[in-house]
Amino acid sequence: MTLRYTLIAASLLLAQQAQATTLPEAAALARMTTPESGSQTFDALEQHILQAERQALQNGAPTLTRSALEKAKQSQLQADSAWLRASGYDFQVKANQQAGIELLSSFSALPEATLNANRATVAQINLNATQGARQQALADAEGISYLYFTADALGPRLGKAFLAAYDKGELSKAAVLIKATEISTSAAKKHFNYARPFLATGNSIHLVPDDVVVKDGKPYTADGGSFPSGHTNTGVTDALLLAEMIPERFQALVARGARYGYSRIVLGVHYPLDVMGSRMVAERNVAHYLNDPAYRRLFSEARDQLRSALEKECGVALATCAQTVKGEDNYQDAAMQRFYRFTMTYNLPRLSTQPRAVSVPPGAEVLLESALPQLSAAQRRALMAKTALPAGYPLSGATPEQQFWQRLDLSAAFAQAKHQG
């Protein structure tokens, strides 16, 4: 099927989903979180983040080179690796990688119509992306080893405080723990062995030249398999853990994780299914670790250091520093709830419209614990079930765990609790 006819087929499928956010609407919402946002305050914060990221990547060298970029990682000042090593904590990487593969196993049985829609959607998002969206995607991609990208979901005041504290090494325990919790998707990529969009036969993907980070004009590409997305796993893990540490910005940070995944599609190096699968795995992994008492002790120590450092930088209580006014805080905009919901499915066709109750895995409610402390565990579980995505979308699979992690809408759950409260 040619790209033209595939896009037509995808458009017909989208038209059948009358209440879904369309691709153009989603692109407009995503644009709110780029240097083209229209908010001078937000755009200034984005520029500040980019400058901090480039300076870290440059690492004192006269200029930023691509070879330096490929070796970049958090400095010893930024991340207290000695503290984490001394804890002796075992992340059980292989076991959790295998759990991720099992969670995503339904990918191998998807029908060709779903894969065609998957291909059509990445082409449409990639080819129609604005310059600002591409620049944001490049900044997201090249800063994968750092936490800079999360700052724009904290609001202008707290975001600047975060950048200052991060580079001073005042968040060093949180920085090392968050990055260590990113369980690599390499095993899953090898298992599923699915080619990236820009490598598919007959593709029309536009590879984006780097004019914002290294600024050498080299088209951005990526190695390894496509499914699932390693960058999205990083973005969702980092943003979600930070949301657990700063629940005053929970919904904005959850949206930031989804937005990070969207950037991968903008660059044409990942499909929607890659991004959707990594969200599932990252959320499952964060819940798994937060339910482990040994990890929770490390998390609490890191969280306390982070919150204390941010209050020191802000000069006021963290809750006050996290407050913003309309027009300067695009990630807190109510429209981002629609964007988040869109990224759960990218409007790919449902495989089944049969209703199916959500079974919440034991302990999953921990993801809403810090954001909604006034609710009991049972109430948080009920909220997750009530606000879940309808059944039948790709990757929801056949098992209760696959169903739950595909359908879990943290943004909707939080919003409904706040509305009722």
Side-chain angles (χ1 to χ4, degrees):
M1 183 182 290
T2 66
L3 176 63
R4 177 185 176 189
Y5 289 118
T6 305
L7 288 172
I8 291 173
S11 298
L12 291 173
L13 288 168
L14 297 181
Q16 295 172 4
Q17 303 177 51
Q19 296 183 353
T21 300
T22 66
L23 286 177
E25 288 170 341
L29 294 174
R31 190 178 180 184
M32 290 169 52
T33 59
T34 74
E36 298 173 338
S37 74
S39 166
Q40 291 184 350
T41 303
F42 186 86
D43 290 351
L45 178 59
E46 290 286 3
Q47 187 60 35
H48 189 175
I49 293 168
L50 179 59
Q51 290 173 349
E53 178 185 314
R54 295 190 75 250
Q55 185 173 354
L57 291 167
Q58 195 165 327
N59 194 28
T63 59
L64 175 56
T65 64
R66 191 152 295 278
S67 59
L69 178 73
E70 293 169 355
K71 301 173 184 176
K73 63 178 181 179
Q74 293 182 119
S75 69
Q76 292 183 354
L77 176 65
Q78 289 173 320
D80 190 352
S81 55
W83 167 76
L84 187 58
R85 281 197 305 270
S87 74
Y89 184 75
D90 182 4
F91 285 87
Q92 298 182 333
V93 173
K94 290 186 177 180
N96 283 294
Q97 285 180 323
Q98 185 58 41
I101 291 172
E102 293 171 2
L103 185 62
L104 302 181
S105 62
S106 66
F107 174 80
S108 301
L110 290 174
E112 191 62 26
T114 299
L115 299 178
N116 283 340
N118 195 39
R119 287 188 281 267
T121 303
V122 65
Q124 188 166 347
I125 291 174
N126 167 260
L127 295 174
N128 293 321
T130 65
Q131 183 65 9
R134 288 170 175 165
Q135 290 178 341
Q136 186 61 55
L138 286 166
D140 281 354
E142 304 294 25
I144 185 175
S145 297
Y146 301 88
L147 295 176
Y148 293 111
F149 80 94
T150 61
D152 60 1
L154 298 177
R157 189 175 183 182
L158 186 56
K160 290 178 182 178
F162 179 88
L163 294 174
Y166 184 38
D167 282 339
K168 290 178 182 178
E170 296 172 345
L171 316 179
S172 58
K173 293 179 181 179
V176 71
L177 184 64
I178 288 172
K179 301 306 284 187
T181 309
E182 302 166 359
I183 298 302
S184 171
T185 59
S186 59
K189 287 175 179 290
K190 184 177 181 180
H191 174 84
F192 292 106
N193 192 29
Y194 198 75
R196 293 179 184 268
F198 68 92
L199 296 175
T201 302
N203 79 84
S204 59
I205 294 297
H206 167 72
L207 291 177
V208 180
D210 185 346
D211 61 354
V212 67
V213 183
V214 183
K215 301 182 179 181
D216 59 358
K218 182 178 179 180
Y220 182 86
T221 61
D223 299 325
S226 193
F227 183 84
S229 165
H231 275 73
T232 302
N233 176 63
T234 289
V236 175
T237 299
D238 294 2
L240 182 53
L241 277 171
L242 200 58
E244 302 295 339
M245 294 182 181
I246 312 176
E248 294 88 347
R249 301 294 304 181
F250 182 84
Q251 197 166 21
L253 283 161
V254 166
R256 186 60 177 99
R259 179 63 181 82
Y260 193 94
Y262 184 87
S263 283
R264 305 305 290 162
I265 302 173
V266 167
L267 292 175
V269 295
H270 276 294
Y271 297 98
L273 287 170
D274 305 342
V275 170
M276 292 159 56
S278 285
R279 173 187 59 80
M280 294 167 61
V281 170
E283 290 178 349
R284 177 265 170 203
N285 287 345
V286 170
H288 169 78
Y289 286 120
L290 288 177
N291 280 295
D292 179 353
Y295 180 93
R296 194 60 178 256
R297 285 192 291 271
L298 296 173
F299 172 87
S300 297
E301 190 174 340
R303 177 201 60 204
D304 292 348
Q305 182 201 52
L306 176 140
R307 292 182 65 85
S308 176
L310 291 180
E311 287 199 338
K312 179 182 175 182
E313 287 291 339
C314 289
V316 296
L318 190 57
T320 302
C321 193
Q323 293 176 355
T324 57
V325 299
K326 188 175 181 179
E328 68 177 23
D329 185 9
N330 292 2
Y331 272 105
Q332 201 79 319
D333 193 297
M336 292 306 291
Q337 295 177 39
R338 298 202 309 275
F339 176 78
Y340 185 86
R341 190 79 162 192
F342 167 80
T343 64
M344 292 180 66
T345 68
Y346 282 88
N347 287 352
L348 298 181
R350 290 172 71 182
L351 305 178
S352 170
T353 57
Q354 295 297 317
R356 182 169 178 174
V358 171
S359 176
V360 181
E365 69 277 1
V366 73
L367 295 181
L368 292 175
E369 184 178 303
S370 64
L372 302 172
Q374 74 279 14
L375 300 184
S376 68
Q379 288 173 321
R380 283 181 269 121
R381 292 168 65 83
L383 191 61
M384 285 177 158
K386 184 177 181 180
T387 57
L389 191 75
Y393 282 101
L395 303 182
S396 56
T399 72
E401 285 248 334
Q402 290 170 339
Q403 283 281 321
F404 174 78
W405 292 112
Q406 160 54 8
R407 297 171 62 184
L408 173 62
D409 188 337
L410 287 172
S411 180
F414 178 85
Q416 183 162 124
K418 287 299 181 181
H419 178 72
Q420 293 174 345

